[in-house]
Amino acid sequence: MRKFVRGAVAMALPVLMPAALAAAPASAEPAPPGARDGWRLVSAEPFDGRLDDAGFPWKADGDGPSSPYNVDIYDNDGAYFDTVGGPAFRTQLAAMKTYRKSFSFGKHGWLTAELAARDTDGDGRPDTPPTLTSRGGVARLDEPSHQAGVVIRSTRDLPAEYRVEMTLRGLDFGGRRNGLWDYPDGRINGYSPEGCKTNFPWASGGDFARPECEWADVRTDSNGFYYMSIMDYPRVAPHNNVFIHGHRKVAMDGYNRYKYTGSGLLYCNPATGQYEPYSAGTGNGVNAIFMTDDRRYPTMPGTEYLMESECGFKKAGAIVSTVDLRPELLPKESYTFAVERRDGAYTMEMSGVFAHVGRATFRYTRSFVQDGEPIWHYNQRPDEYDGRFDADWTWTGPGGTLVDRNTWPAGSAYPDRFMIGDPHMNFYEGSAQVDDIRLYVPR
């Protein structure tokens, strides 16, 4: 189900009524900031206080079963990479260490920051680490190297029904600026020009013995940012990009492809309702994606995409940019991104000033199972799901054959956790400003 409201913010404004009926008593109190019809605010972080990750130490993470960040076979040291990379993967991985820091903040610690970076020179400290700070009521996520990650997540499982939202005040994670992919300051799609920048040492195939600079160049591939995503595992934190693709339920993210002219991406022009080539957009699109159980890629664990937009519905095929942001308007203007889980469905919502349509709100809703298509790992409890979409995923490579059994069995449960930021430790680089993270439950 799609809903597009031009020139208004859905749910933030009352329904218009004739003047005679709309008159309110003189003593009526205005709605509090952030009020939403039908929702009750239970947690909010305006970033009015000072926040600085420098007060928290970096700690080495050895991966493996003893690591608090161990999840499954797609982790940074996971068996999947032993399979597709062979012995060369372990040799490459041994040349670096991962460092992490984690801390909770906000009232009752309802939010948690997760930062990760690599140490490749062996000095016992992370190289070019990311930072999370706040000043003047806005949090700043800075990531000067793509070999790192920084996210803000919910500390605890989200309620059975909820609305979670955040306000975006600034964005510099690639995309075209003034029509240019190559910026006047020398950056390329938001990446610094110094040194080589590749997806080393995590890929879905290829020769893992290659030197780092011979792996895929991320500058001329993509940059991006997760505006709001619902994940399916508890300790949401930066990992490799292959891992992330198998753990999203729904996501609104930027995927800014450098000078892309192929057929694997499309741009929806919401003013005309017509798909256009990716190059017709600004390079600052938002992908609003519901994940489903089918495998999108033959050699990696990404789940297939269900994509709603003003141009219609697409499953699989080209990735659709639903709307185009206008970063040059930030911070004077802002964007709000929200995900709702209610009445057996997820809704994604985007509000702000978009290319072609101006100020508008876009809402897209899908039931947990709709037209035979489930939303990946939607069940927070075992009794919400009967096991009908369970499967085994098989991987082969120089390291042999690996079977990931029971990817969605009966009796499973996947509590919701939200994520904002960059979770990829081998892609994406830049900075963003985030404000007013709020959590609501039904009134």
Side-chain angles (χ1 to χ4, degrees):
M1 181 178 69
R2 305 193 302 272
K3 184 177 181 181
F4 164 36
V5 181
R6 191 192 299 263
V9 178
M11 303 182 66
L13 298 177
V15 176
L16 295 180
M17 302 174 63
L21 297 179
S27 60
E29 293 292 330
R36 296 286 182 263
D37 289 343
W39 297 94
R40 176 172 60 87
L41 183 67
V42 292
S43 297
E45 177 52 57
F47 295 102
D48 291 338
R50 181 170 179 175
L51 183 68
D52 191 340
D53 76 273
F56 301 88
W58 287 100
K59 297 180 180 180
D61 177 28
D63 295 315
S66 63
S67 168
Y69 294 92
N70 186 68
V71 181
D72 58 21
I73 64 173
Y74 308 107
D75 286 328
N76 288 356
D77 67 338
Y80 166 82
F81 295 105
D82 288 317
T83 300
V84 300
F89 168 66
R90 287 290 159 173
T91 301
Q92 302 284 30
L93 194 65
M96 69 180 73
K97 286 186 178 180
T98 296
Y99 281 78
R100 297 182 182 273
K101 66 169 63 179
S102 174
F103 59 93
S104 296
F105 63 96
K107 189 174 183 179
H108 304 304
W110 79 283
L111 297 174
T112 294
E114 295 281 359
L115 296 84
R118 299 190 227 172
D119 171 20
T120 57
D121 58 15
D123 66 354
R125 296 177 298 176
D127 307 329
T128 324
T131 60
L132 174 61
T133 58
S134 68
R135 299 289 188 279
V138 178
R140 183 179 179 94
L141 293 79
D142 282 303
E143 190 180 344
S145 170
H146 79 292
Q147 295 182 331
V150 53
V151 301
I152 297 172
R153 65 171 173 89
S154 48
T155 302
R156 293 169 285 275
D157 296 341
L158 294 172
E161 295 191 317
Y162 61 83
R163 173 186 168 95
V164 60
E165 65 180 43
M166 78 88 163
T167 301
L168 183 73
R169 301 285 183 185
L171 183 65
D172 192 7
F173 270 89
R176 288 197 295 187
R177 293 295 183 275
N178 298 314
L180 301 175
W181 289 102
D182 299 311
Y183 303 172
D185 62 6
R187 288 183 299 149
I188 302 166
N189 193 20
Y191 290 98
S192 68
E194 291 81 20
C196 66
K197 291 183 180 288
T198 70
N199 66 338
F200 174 89
W202 298 290
S204 59
D207 179 8
F208 274 62
R210 291 168 293 169
E212 178 177 351
C213 290
E214 294 181 14
W215 288 54
D217 184 354
V218 300
R219 285 194 190 97
T220 55
D221 184 278
S222 61
N223 206 345
F225 188 79
Y226 282 74
Y227 306 110
M228 182 66 71
S229 179
I230 304 300
M231 310 299 288
D232 71 353
Y233 69 105
R235 189 156 192 169
V236 176
H239 289 263
N240 64 82
N241 72 304
V242 174
F243 171 93
I244 298 299
H245 287 165
H247 287 282
R248 303 173 297 184
K249 298 188 181 191
V250 300
M252 289 178 286
D253 70 335
Y255 183 48
N256 307 325
R257 293 294 305 274
Y258 179 79
K259 296 183 178 180
Y260 186 81
T261 58
S263 59
L265 298 169
L266 286 174
Y267 166 62
C268 173
N269 184 333
T272 64
Q274 299 296 313
Y275 295 114
E276 298 179 5
Y278 178 76
S279 57
T282 71
N284 296 281
V286 178
N287 304 320
I289 301 173
F290 300 91
M291 311 300 163
T292 194
D293 64 317
D294 298 330
R295 279 167 51 180
R296 180 172 176 86
Y297 309 104
T299 60
M300 63 180 282
T303 48
E304 190 54 273
Y305 300 165
L306 307 176
M307 296 165 284
E308 303 272 6
S309 71
E310 299 310 300
C311 299
F313 168 76
K314 271 189 176 291
K315 177 188 176 182
I319 302 173
V320 175
S321 291
T322 304
V323 293
D324 258 8
L325 305 183
R326 297 182 58 194
E328 71 276 9
L329 300 180
L330 297 165
K332 184 177 179 180
E333 296 287 350
S334 63
Y335 293 95
T336 299
F337 297 90
V339 173
E340 299 170 6
R341 178 180 176 123
R342 194 170 189 180
D343 299 329
Y346 282 108
T347 297
M348 288 184 279
E349 178 186 292
M350 298 154 278
S351 297
V353 179
F354 301 101
H356 301 298
V357 295
R359 188 174 305 281
T361 290
F362 297 87
R363 287 174 57 85
Y364 302 102
T365 299
R366 283 191 69 87
S367 299
F368 294 160
V369 180
Q370 183 172 322
D371 301 324
E373 300 285 359
I375 294 176
W376 177 245
H377 286 178
Y378 67 82
N379 54 306
Q380 295 178 330
R381 306 184 315 273
D383 61 358
E384 292 180 293
Y385 168 67
D386 59 11
R388 75 183 76 174
F389 303 111
D390 192 22
D392 295 343
W393 293 353
T394 300
W395 314 109
T396 59
T401 298
L402 175 68
V403 180
D404 184 2
R405 300 192 183 281
N406 302 123
T407 57
W408 195 357
S412 61
Y414 306 91
D416 290 17
R417 300 282 182 108
F418 74 77
M419 178 186 74
I420 301 164
D422 170 27
H424 300 316
M425 289 188 65
N426 57 335
F427 273 88
Y428 299 176
E429 178 178 306
S431 65
Q433 291 78 56
V434 171
D435 193 10
D436 294 326
I437 303 176
R438 298 185 175 108
L439 175 63
Y440 302 81
V441 295
R443 188 178 295 280

mmCIF file of all heavy atoms in Angstrom, residues 313-343:
data_model
loop_
_atom_site.group_PDB
_atom_site.id
_atom_site.type_symbol
_atom_site.label_atom_id
_atom_site.label_comp_id
_atom_site.label_asym_id
_atom_site.label_seq_id
_atom_site.Cartn_x
_atom_site.Cartn_y
_atom_site.Cartn_z
ATOM 1 N N PHE A 313 5.229 -1.297 -8.007
ATOM 2 C CA PHE A 313 5.868 -2.293 -7.172
ATOM 3 C C PHE A 313 6.830 -3.111 -8.013
ATOM 4 O O PHE A 313 6.529 -3.484 -9.147
ATOM 5 C CB PHE A 313 4.817 -3.224 -6.549
ATOM 6 C CG PHE A 313 5.397 -4.453 -5.895
ATOM 7 C CD1 PHE A 313 6.019 -4.369 -4.663
ATOM 8 C CD2 PHE A 313 5.335 -5.687 -6.531
ATOM 9 C CE1 PHE A 313 6.559 -5.492 -4.063
ATOM 10 C CE2 PHE A 313 5.873 -6.819 -5.938
ATOM 11 C CZ PHE A 313 6.483 -6.720 -4.696
ATOM 12 N N LYS A 314 8.009 -3.387 -7.448
ATOM 13 C CA LYS A 314 8.985 -4.247 -8.106
ATOM 14 C C LYS A 314 9.519 -5.258 -7.113
ATOM 15 O O LYS A 314 9.815 -4.916 -5.966
ATOM 16 C CB LYS A 314 10.160 -3.445 -8.670
ATOM 17 C CG LYS A 314 9.967 -2.930 -10.087
ATOM 18 C CD LYS A 314 11.261 -2.340 -10.625
ATOM 19 C CE LYS A 314 11.112 -1.921 -12.075
ATOM 20 N NZ LYS A 314 10.960 -3.083 -12.969
ATOM 21 N N LYS A 315 9.641 -6.485 -7.567
ATOM 22 C CA LYS A 315 10.386 -7.500 -6.837
ATOM 23 C C LYS A 315 11.578 -7.887 -7.692
ATOM 24 O O LYS A 315 11.431 -8.180 -8.880
ATOM 25 C CB LYS A 315 9.538 -8.736 -6.549
ATOM 26 C CG LYS A 315 10.331 -9.826 -5.852
ATOM 27 C CD LYS A 315 9.566 -11.133 -5.722
ATOM 28 C CE LYS A 315 10.464 -12.200 -5.093
ATOM 29 N NZ LYS A 315 9.796 -13.519 -4.986
ATOM 30 N N ALA A 316 12.754 -7.868 -7.070
ATOM 31 C CA ALA A 316 13.989 -8.261 -7.769
ATOM 32 C C ALA A 316 14.321 -7.260 -8.867
ATOM 33 O O ALA A 316 13.752 -6.169 -8.948
ATOM 34 C CB ALA A 316 13.872 -9.674 -8.317
ATOM 35 N N GLY A 317 15.254 -7.623 -9.715
ATOM 36 C CA GLY A 317 15.645 -6.739 -10.806
ATOM 37 C C GLY A 317 16.364 -5.510 -10.290
ATOM 38 O O GLY A 317 17.029 -5.524 -9.258
ATOM 39 N N ALA A 318 16.213 -4.417 -11.025
ATOM 40 C CA ALA A 318 16.923 -3.176 -10.715
ATOM 41 C C ALA A 318 16.502 -2.627 -9.348
ATOM 42 O O ALA A 318 15.320 -2.653 -8.986
ATOM 43 C CB ALA A 318 16.659 -2.143 -11.794
ATOM 44 N N ILE A 319 17.473 -2.107 -8.594
ATOM 45 C CA ILE A 319 17.187 -1.459 -7.326
ATOM 46 C C ILE A 319 16.589 -0.083 -7.609
ATOM 47 O O ILE A 319 17.140 0.689 -8.399
ATOM 48 C CB ILE A 319 18.461 -1.317 -6.483
ATOM 49 C CG1 ILE A 319 19.096 -2.693 -6.231
ATOM 50 C CG2 ILE A 319 18.147 -0.636 -5.154
ATOM 51 C CD1 ILE A 319 20.438 -2.628 -5.547
ATOM 52 N N VAL A 320 15.484 0.233 -6.950
ATOM 53 C CA VAL A 320 14.753 1.463 -7.223
ATOM 54 C C VAL A 320 15.066 2.518 -6.164
ATOM 55 O O VAL A 320 14.942 2.260 -4.964
ATOM 56 C CB VAL A 320 13.235 1.209 -7.251
ATOM 57 C CG1 VAL A 320 12.467 2.524 -7.427
ATOM 58 C CG2 VAL A 320 12.885 0.229 -8.372
ATOM 59 N N SER A 321 15.492 3.699 -6.605
ATOM 60 C CA SER A 321 15.576 4.861 -5.717
ATOM 61 C C SER A 321 14.184 5.469 -5.643
ATOM 62 O O SER A 321 13.661 5.982 -6.633
ATOM 63 C CB SER A 321 16.572 5.888 -6.260
ATOM 64 O OG SER A 321 17.890 5.398 -6.176
ATOM 65 N N THR A 322 13.575 5.403 -4.460
ATOM 66 C CA THR A 322 12.180 5.808 -4.294
ATOM 67 C C THR A 322 12.008 7.309 -4.415
ATOM 68 O O THR A 322 11.067 7.797 -5.045
ATOM 69 C CB THR A 322 11.667 5.333 -2.921
ATOM 70 O OG1 THR A 322 11.864 3.921 -2.824
ATOM 71 C CG2 THR A 322 10.202 5.666 -2.733
ATOM 72 N N VAL A 323 12.910 8.059 -3.774
ATOM 73 C CA VAL A 323 12.890 9.529 -3.819
ATOM 74 C C VAL A 323 14.330 10.009 -3.856
ATOM 75 O O VAL A 323 15.269 9.262 -3.561
ATOM 76 C CB VAL A 323 12.175 10.144 -2.592
ATOM 77 C CG1 VAL A 323 10.692 9.832 -2.603
ATOM 78 C CG2 VAL A 323 12.824 9.678 -1.293
ATOM 79 N N ASP A 324 14.524 11.258 -4.214
ATOM 80 C CA ASP A 324 15.848 11.876 -4.235
ATOM 81 C C ASP A 324 15.930 12.967 -3.173
ATOM 82 O O ASP A 324 15.096 13.893 -3.159
ATOM 83 C CB ASP A 324 16.129 12.512 -5.603
ATOM 84 C CG ASP A 324 17.042 11.651 -6.449
ATOM 85 O OD1 ASP A 324 17.323 10.510 -6.046
ATOM 86 O OD2 ASP A 324 17.487 12.125 -7.508
ATOM 87 N N LEU A 325 16.932 12.860 -2.291
ATOM 88 C CA LEU A 325 17.180 13.918 -1.321
ATOM 89 C C LEU A 325 17.845 15.112 -1.994
ATOM 90 O O LEU A 325 18.417 15.000 -3.070
ATOM 91 C CB LEU A 325 18.094 13.408 -0.200
ATOM 92 C CG LEU A 325 17.657 12.165 0.563
ATOM 93 C CD1 LEU A 325 18.661 11.868 1.670
ATOM 94 C CD2 LEU A 325 16.266 12.338 1.142
ATOM 95 N N ARG A 326 17.788 16.241 -1.301
ATOM 96 C CA ARG A 326 18.499 17.447 -1.743
ATOM 97 C C ARG A 326 19.412 17.894 -0.602
ATOM 98 O O ARG A 326 19.062 18.781 0.188
ATOM 99 C CB ARG A 326 17.498 18.537 -2.123
ATOM 100 C CG ARG A 326 16.605 18.157 -3.316
ATOM 101 C CD ARG A 326 15.673 19.288 -3.691
ATOM 102 N NE ARG A 326 16.435 20.494 -4.023
ATOM 103 C CZ ARG A 326 15.892 21.715 -4.136
ATOM 104 N NH1 ARG A 326 14.595 21.876 -3.920
ATOM 105 N NH2 ARG A 326 16.644 22.754 -4.438
ATOM 106 N N PRO A 327 20.591 17.274 -0.489
ATOM 107 C CA PRO A 327 21.481 17.551 0.649
ATOM 108 C C PRO A 327 21.886 19.007 0.777
ATOM 109 O O PRO A 327 22.226 19.455 1.879
ATOM 110 C CB PRO A 327 22.694 16.657 0.358
ATOM 111 C CG PRO A 327 22.178 15.575 -0.524
ATOM 112 C CD PRO A 327 21.130 16.230 -1.363
ATOM 113 N N GLU A 328 21.856 19.741 -0.337
ATOM 114 C CA GLU A 328 22.260 21.143 -0.271
ATOM 115 C C GLU A 328 21.311 21.983 0.583
ATOM 116 O O GLU A 328 21.658 23.089 1.011
ATOM 117 C CB GLU A 328 22.351 21.739 -1.681
ATOM 118 C CG GLU A 328 21.020 21.965 -2.382
ATOM 119 C CD GLU A 328 20.457 20.743 -3.084
ATOM 120 O OE1 GLU A 328 21.028 19.640 -2.899
ATOM 121 O OE2 GLU A 328 19.460 20.877 -3.816
ATOM 122 N N LEU A 329 20.109 21.462 0.872
ATOM 123 C CA LEU A 329 19.150 22.182 1.699
ATOM 124 C C LEU A 329 19.387 21.984 3.198
ATOM 125 O O LEU A 329 18.826 22.712 4.018
ATOM 126 C CB LEU A 329 17.722 21.739 1.354
ATOM 127 C CG LEU A 329 17.275 21.961 -0.091
ATOM 128 C CD1 LEU A 329 15.851 21.467 -0.271
ATOM 129 C CD2 LEU A 329 17.392 23.421 -0.485
ATOM 130 N N LEU A 330 20.195 20.980 3.554
ATOM 131 C CA LEU A 330 20.503 20.726 4.953
ATOM 132 C C LEU A 330 21.514 21.754 5.459
ATOM 133 O O LEU A 330 22.394 22.168 4.709
ATOM 134 C CB LEU A 330 21.086 19.312 5.105
ATOM 135 C CG LEU A 330 20.152 18.148 4.715
ATOM 136 C CD1 LEU A 330 20.950 16.866 4.548
ATOM 137 C CD2 LEU A 330 19.073 17.958 5.761
ATOM 138 N N PRO A 331 21.474 22.198 6.705
ATOM 139 C CA PRO A 331 20.520 21.817 7.762
ATOM 140 C C PRO A 331 19.296 22.726 7.852
ATOM 141 O O PRO A 331 18.469 22.530 8.740
ATOM 142 C CB PRO A 331 21.369 21.956 9.020
ATOM 143 C CG PRO A 331 22.248 23.128 8.717
ATOM 144 C CD PRO A 331 22.577 23.014 7.249
ATOM 145 N N LYS A 332 19.194 23.740 6.964
ATOM 146 C CA LYS A 332 18.040 24.638 7.043
ATOM 147 C C LYS A 332 16.755 23.840 6.930
ATOM 148 O O LYS A 332 15.791 24.062 7.680
ATOM 149 C CB LYS A 332 18.110 25.701 5.948
ATOM 150 C CG LYS A 332 16.992 26.721 6.021
ATOM 151 C CD LYS A 332 17.143 27.808 4.963
ATOM 152 C CE LYS A 332 16.003 28.809 5.043
ATOM 153 N NZ LYS A 332 16.139 29.879 4.014
ATOM 154 N N GLU A 333 16.708 22.938 5.975
ATOM 155 C CA GLU A 333 15.624 21.971 5.897
ATOM 156 C C GLU A 333 16.115 20.674 6.535
ATOM 157 O O GLU A 333 17.322 20.493 6.745
ATOM 158 C CB GLU A 333 15.224 21.727 4.439
ATOM 159 C CG GLU A 333 14.663 22.940 3.737
ATOM 160 C CD GLU A 333 13.266 23.307 4.201
ATOM 161 O OE1 GLU A 333 12.649 22.505 4.931
ATOM 162 O OE2 GLU A 333 12.792 24.396 3.830
ATOM 163 N N SER A 334 15.223 19.768 6.828
ATOM 164 C CA SER A 334 15.620 18.486 7.402
ATOM 165 C C SER A 334 14.739 17.393 6.807
ATOM 166 O O SER A 334 13.730 17.667 6.138
ATOM 167 C CB SER A 334 15.482 18.509 8.923
ATOM 168 O OG SER A 334 14.128 18.694 9.302
ATOM 169 N N TYR A 335 15.143 16.157 7.057
ATOM 170 C CA TYR A 335 14.371 14.994 6.623
ATOM 171 C C TYR A 335 14.037 14.142 7.842
ATOM 172 O O TYR A 335 14.843 14.017 8.768
ATOM 173 C CB TYR A 335 15.152 14.156 5.614
ATOM 174 C CG TYR A 335 15.372 14.851 4.301
ATOM 175 C CD1 TYR A 335 16.542 15.559 4.056
ATOM 176 C CD2 TYR A 335 14.405 14.815 3.301
ATOM 177 C CE1 TYR A 335 16.748 16.219 2.849
ATOM 178 C CE2 TYR A 335 14.595 15.475 2.092
ATOM 179 C CZ TYR A 335 15.770 16.168 1.874
ATOM 180 O OH TYR A 335 15.964 16.830 0.676
ATOM 181 N N THR A 336 12.857 13.542 7.826
ATOM 182 C CA THR A 336 12.459 12.607 8.868
ATOM 183 C C THR A 336 12.235 11.239 8.244
ATOM 184 O O THR A 336 11.545 11.111 7.234
ATOM 185 C CB THR A 336 11.176 13.065 9.583
ATOM 186 O OG1 THR A 336 11.407 14.327 10.208
ATOM 187 C CG2 THR A 336 10.757 12.060 10.650
ATOM 188 N N PHE A 337 12.838 10.222 8.859
ATOM 189 C CA PHE A 337 12.685 8.836 8.419
ATOM 190 C C PHE A 337 12.080 8.045 9.570
ATOM 191 O O PHE A 337 12.530 8.160 10.720
ATOM 192 C CB PHE A 337 14.036 8.241 8.025
ATOM 193 C CG PHE A 337 14.679 8.931 6.854
ATOM 194 C CD1 PHE A 337 15.523 10.015 7.048
ATOM 195 C CD2 PHE A 337 14.418 8.512 5.560
ATOM 196 C CE1 PHE A 337 16.105 10.670 5.971
ATOM 197 C CE2 PHE A 337 14.993 9.157 4.471
ATOM 198 C CZ PHE A 337 15.838 10.235 4.676
ATOM 199 N N ALA A 338 11.068 7.236 9.275
ATOM 200 C CA ALA A 338 10.387 6.479 10.322
ATOM 201 C C ALA A 338 10.028 5.088 9.817
ATOM 202 O O ALA A 338 9.762 4.885 8.629
ATOM 203 C CB ALA A 338 9.121 7.205 10.777
ATOM 204 N N VAL A 339 10.026 4.140 10.761
ATOM 205 C CA VAL A 339 9.513 2.792 10.513
ATOM 206 C C VAL A 339 8.471 2.498 11.571
ATOM 207 O O VAL A 339 8.694 2.742 12.763
ATOM 208 C CB VAL A 339 10.630 1.732 10.555
ATOM 209 C CG1 VAL A 339 10.032 0.331 10.454
ATOM 210 C CG2 VAL A 339 11.635 1.947 9.429
ATOM 211 N N GLU A 340 7.337 1.967 11.129
ATOM 212 C CA GLU A 340 6.282 1.551 12.036
ATOM 213 C C GLU A 340 6.051 0.049 11.904
ATOM 214 O O GLU A 340 6.115 -0.502 10.792
ATOM 215 C CB GLU A 340 4.971 2.272 11.723
ATOM 216 C CG GLU A 340 5.050 3.781 11.862
ATOM 217 C CD GLU A 340 3.818 4.488 11.322
ATOM 218 O OE1 GLU A 340 2.841 3.801 10.938
ATOM 219 O OE2 GLU A 340 3.848 5.735 11.268
ATOM 220 N N ARG A 341 5.791 -0.595 13.016
ATOM 221 C CA ARG A 341 5.334 -1.981 13.024
ATOM 222 C C ARG A 341 4.003 -1.992 13.766
ATOM 223 O O ARG A 341 3.950 -1.692 14.974
ATOM 224 C CB ARG A 341 6.344 -2.884 13.731
ATOM 225 C CG ARG A 341 5.896 -4.358 13.805
ATOM 226 C CD ARG A 341 6.924 -5.215 14.516
ATOM 227 N NE ARG A 341 6.449 -6.586 14.655
ATOM 228 C CZ ARG A 341 7.089 -7.664 14.199
ATOM 229 N NH1 ARG A 341 8.258 -7.526 13.584
ATOM 230 N NH2 ARG A 341 6.589 -8.861 14.370
ATOM 231 N N ARG A 342 2.941 -2.309 13.034
ATOM 232 C CA ARG A 342 1.601 -2.223 13.640
ATOM 233 C C ARG A 342 0.607 -3.012 12.795
ATOM 234 O O ARG A 342 0.718 -3.045 11.571
ATOM 235 C CB ARG A 342 1.169 -0.759 13.746
ATOM 236 C CG ARG A 342 -0.035 -0.519 14.650
ATOM 237 C CD ARG A 342 -0.243 0.960 14.881
ATOM 238 N NE ARG A 342 -1.248 1.212 15.912
ATOM 239 C CZ ARG A 342 -1.627 2.412 16.327
ATOM 240 N NH1 ARG A 342 -1.050 3.504 15.793
ATOM 241 N NH2 ARG A 342 -2.539 2.558 17.258
ATOM 242 N N ASP A 343 -0.346 -3.627 13.468
ATOM 243 C CA ASP A 343 -1.440 -4.337 12.787
ATOM 244 C C ASP A 343 -0.916 -5.341 11.760
ATOM 245 O O ASP A 343 -1.441 -5.456 10.650
ATOM 246 C CB ASP A 343 -2.389 -3.345 12.108
ATOM 247 C CG ASP A 343 -3.047 -2.404 13.096
ATOM 248 O OD1 ASP A 343 -3.271 -2.821 14.251
ATOM 249 O OD2 ASP A 343 -3.318 -1.244 12.721
#
